Amino acid sequence: MKKHLLIALALLLSVSAFSQKKEIIKKGWNFGPLPVLGFDSDLGFQYGACVDIFNFGDGTNYPRYNYKFNVEVSRYTKGSGVFRFYSDMPLLIKDTKLFFDLTYNYSKKFEFFGFNGYEAGTFDPNLFANEGVEGYKSGYHFIKRNTLRFVGSMQRSFFGVPNLNWVAGLAYYHVATDKISLEAYEGQETLYTNYVNAGIIKDNEKNGGNIAQLRLGLIYDSRDHNSDPSKGIYAEYTLTGSSDFIDGNGYNALMQTFIWRQYIPIYRDKLTFAYRLGVQHKIAGENPWYMINNINTPFFQKMYTEGLGGVVTMRGVNRNGVLGDGFVLGNAELRWHFLDFQFINQNWQLAFCPFFDAGMVIQKFREDEMIQAQNVYAATVPEGQKVEDLYYSGEKEKPHMSAGAGIKLIMNRNMILAVDAGRALNPIDGEKFKIFVGFNYIF
């Protein structure tokens, strides 16, 4: 059986390798206007419009681009919306890469599962549902959240060392949070309100706030392509200083983030093994609760830079289901470009990508407050009645894992339409297959 599978794989690779016509070398400006039609199990159906604008210059660097701009306006049926503009300009200034991102996200129904992974309180999608309401649902694990984000980063060579660069950047986040206010969940008890009432989420942060960041770091990049690499290494170390000096509540912290991505060619540029290892850790200070889900990176591969859980970190695990002051993350994918073709004067590829994702909290956030709140609550429960794990489960944190596969439609090795389907391996992290339709690889 194994022999037959290997023979079949070899034949398919041969067909895909020799079926391609001579690649079209793109020059000048290239526009990719698209309707935004997507689906995210966490957000619902997505609709709107976006445009990718590339400049390839005289084609010497193709498929690398000289400039890239993106504009998107879209909405999700579960009450979220996105307004975004970003630019990636490797050649605007000589030997300097510039990146800018301005994004506004609003969500009437944003997931919140507590702190510290498996230590958080009971996960039950039907907990405290309004049973008297027709088609009743539970809003226990949801909040309302809006975010305005601005990020500006620059990258230059580190004293001429090949592939090694220093990077510096500024970021600003305005986050507004509150209890879920949709009519179907009116009057329900929620985890967010329980955390606020118990003091786990403090009064001066319960409705969000303003955070400014200064980022400094080093990047090693030997990839052969920006968006769809088939070989090379991308390693990034970032020191991030965060401050809420605008609000003056004393949430100042120093964080470090290390991300290692490697792309190993197995068969030419047709079959690639790709993996990502990441760790984020607080060195000093205190973060507000509304920022611990942020992954501090100067350049974005996906629109969302939050985790752990969801489409950018662990596909199939509940979005933002694994929150703490520090985390580790691992992703592995097999990327098989099984079909090359040309259409409307563009180069296209189809890729099949089975994957495995994992991550866990390694630095706890307000664990003592969670334990204290659980003890206070337990003391109020009459003898003989069940004590729910509303604030602290007592379970030891361990890796959260998911697996699945995706299909990618790639234009000119840069614009990538992605469909991923994944499922958590532990039902506590999510009980169903989750499907994500969007843009780009997650790394």
Side-chain angles (χ1 to χ4, degrees):
M1 181 64 179
K2 290 183 179 179
K3 181 179 179 181
H4 292 162
L5 288 174
L6 289 172
I7 292 172
L9 179 60
L11 288 173
L12 287 169
L13 286 170
S14 300
V15 170
S16 66
F18 293 107
S19 63
Q20 182 185 18
K21 296 179 181 179
K22 185 177 179 180
E23 188 172 28
I24 300 170
I25 302 300
K26 304 301 295 184
K27 299 179 181 180
W29 291 97
N30 197 79
F31 296 83
L34 286 172
V36 176
L37 297 173
F39 179 77
D40 186 312
S41 291
D42 297 317
L43 304 175
F45 287 96
Q46 183 186 25
Y47 57 93
C50 78
V51 59
D52 266 327
I53 305 170
F54 296 93
N55 181 281
F56 295 102
D58 61 5
T60 302
N61 297 321
Y62 179 83
R64 291 185 180 271
Y65 49 79
N66 293 356
Y67 315 109
K68 177 183 178 180
F69 305 94
N70 174 275
V71 179
E72 178 177 337
V73 178
S74 62
R75 189 179 185 280
Y76 289 89
T77 53
K78 290 186 180 180
S80 299
V82 174
F83 301 89
R84 187 190 191 200
F85 168 80
Y86 81 87
S87 60
D88 185 9
M89 298 175 287
L91 298 178
L92 182 64
I93 301 175
K94 185 179 179 180
D95 301 324
T96 302
K97 176 179 178 177
L98 297 176
F99 176 88
F100 297 99
D101 176 282
L102 179 63
T103 301
Y104 176 67
N105 293 320
Y106 67 90
S107 180
K108 299 178 182 179
K109 189 178 179 183
F110 187 82
E111 296 85 347
F112 176 58
F113 296 94
F115 305 142
N116 306 324
Y118 290 126
E119 286 191 0
T122 302
F123 167 67
D124 181 353
N126 298 311
L127 199 62
F128 303 123
N130 282 340
E131 298 190 25
V133 179
E134 184 178 354
Y136 68 90
K137 299 177 181 178
S138 171
Y140 187 73
H141 293 289
F142 296 102
I143 62 172
K144 176 183 177 182
R145 194 193 77 154
N146 300 336
T147 303
L148 174 66
R149 176 186 75 195
F150 170 77
V151 175
S153 303
M154 66 177 294
Q155 174 183 298
R156 287 181 63 88
S157 174
F158 187 79
F159 298 107
V161 178
N163 301 320
L164 186 63
N165 306 276
W166 63 265
V167 61
L170 297 171
Y172 166 74
Y173 295 82
H174 172 73
V175 184
T177 58
D178 205 343
K179 64 182 180 181
I180 189 169
S181 58
L182 296 176
E183 184 178 352
Y185 310 106
E186 190 69 31
Q188 284 192 21
E189 182 176 347
T190 69
L191 180 61
Y192 168 78
T193 54
N194 283 342
Y195 269 37
V196 170
N197 293 335
I200 302 172
I201 294 176
K202 302 174 184 178
D203 284 340
N204 64 6
E205 60 175 348
K206 66 180 181 181
N207 296 123
N210 299 278
I211 291 291
Q213 293 183 336
L214 171 64
R215 295 169 177 166
L216 300 171
L218 291 172
I219 291 177
Y220 177 84
D221 186 0
S222 64
R223 298 171 299 168
D224 58 345
H225 301 302
N226 298 79
S227 304
D228 183 29
S230 60
K231 62 181 179 180
I233 292 172
Y234 181 95
E236 172 188 301
Y237 177 79
T238 309
L239 275 175
T240 302
S242 300
S243 176
D244 75 336
F245 66 88
I246 297 174
D247 301 327
N249 291 322
Y251 293 110
N252 306 303
L254 180 63
M255 307 284 290
Q256 60 181 345
T257 307
F258 178 71
I259 297 173
W260 175 279
R261 292 151 44 182
Q262 187 167 5
Y263 308 88
I264 303 171
I266 297 175
Y267 178 75
R268 298 172 58 178
D269 61 351
K270 303 300 178 184
L271 187 63
T272 302
F273 175 70
Y275 71 92
R276 174 176 65 176
L277 300 175
V279 59
Q280 183 162 291
H281 188 271
K282 185 182 74 174
I283 299 172
E286 182 180 6
N287 288 306
W289 83 275
Y290 55 84
M291 285 297 293
I292 62 172
N293 66 338
N294 194 62
I295 299 175
N296 299 314
T297 178
F299 305 112
F300 301 158
Q301 187 84 358
K302 301 280 283 187
M303 181 184 306
Y304 293 99
T305 58
E306 301 173 338
L308 298 177
V311 67
V312 298
T313 52
M314 294 186 292
R315 293 155 286 187
V317 173
N318 292 320
R319 187 169 68 135
N320 299 305
V322 187
L323 301 181
D325 256 338
F327 66 82
V328 292
L329 170 68
N331 307 101
E333 291 188 352
L334 192 63
R335 300 177 179 177
W336 174 27
H337 294 73
F338 64 89
L339 181 62
D340 300 272
F341 61 98
Q342 294 173 359
F343 177 62
I344 57 172
N345 201 37
Q346 309 290 343
N347 302 300
W348 299 85
Q349 293 179 314
L350 275 173
F352 175 69
C353 308
F355 62 80
F356 174 80
D357 302 332
M360 66 180 288
V361 172
I362 58 170
Q363 194 175 28
K364 305 298 174 59
F365 183 78
R366 298 182 185 169
E367 181 183 38
D368 292 341
E369 289 89 336
M370 292 167 59
I371 294 173
Q372 181 180 358
Q374 181 65 27
N375 291 337
V376 170
Y377 159 71
T380 66
V381 177
E383 187 176 351
Q385 290 190 14
K386 181 182 179 182
V387 178
E388 297 281 357
D389 297 330
L390 296 184
Y391 305 97
Y392 182 76
S393 69
E395 287 195 35
K396 184 179 180 180
E397 175 65 337
K398 56 187 177 182
H400 305 252
M401 297 177 287
S402 64
I407 291 286
K408 307 295 189 288
L409 176 62
I410 305 159
M411 185 182 80
N412 297 325
R413 299 299 293 268
N414 284 296
M415 196 174 86
I416 302 170
L417 300 178
V419 180
D420 288 307
R423 182 166 185 169
L425 303 188
N426 188 330
I428 294 176
D429 292 319
E431 298 180 321
K432 300 178 180 179
F433 257 103
K434 296 189 177 184
I435 300 173
F436 309 95
V437 180
F439 296 95
N440 298 325
Y441 288 102
I442 70 169
F443 66 94

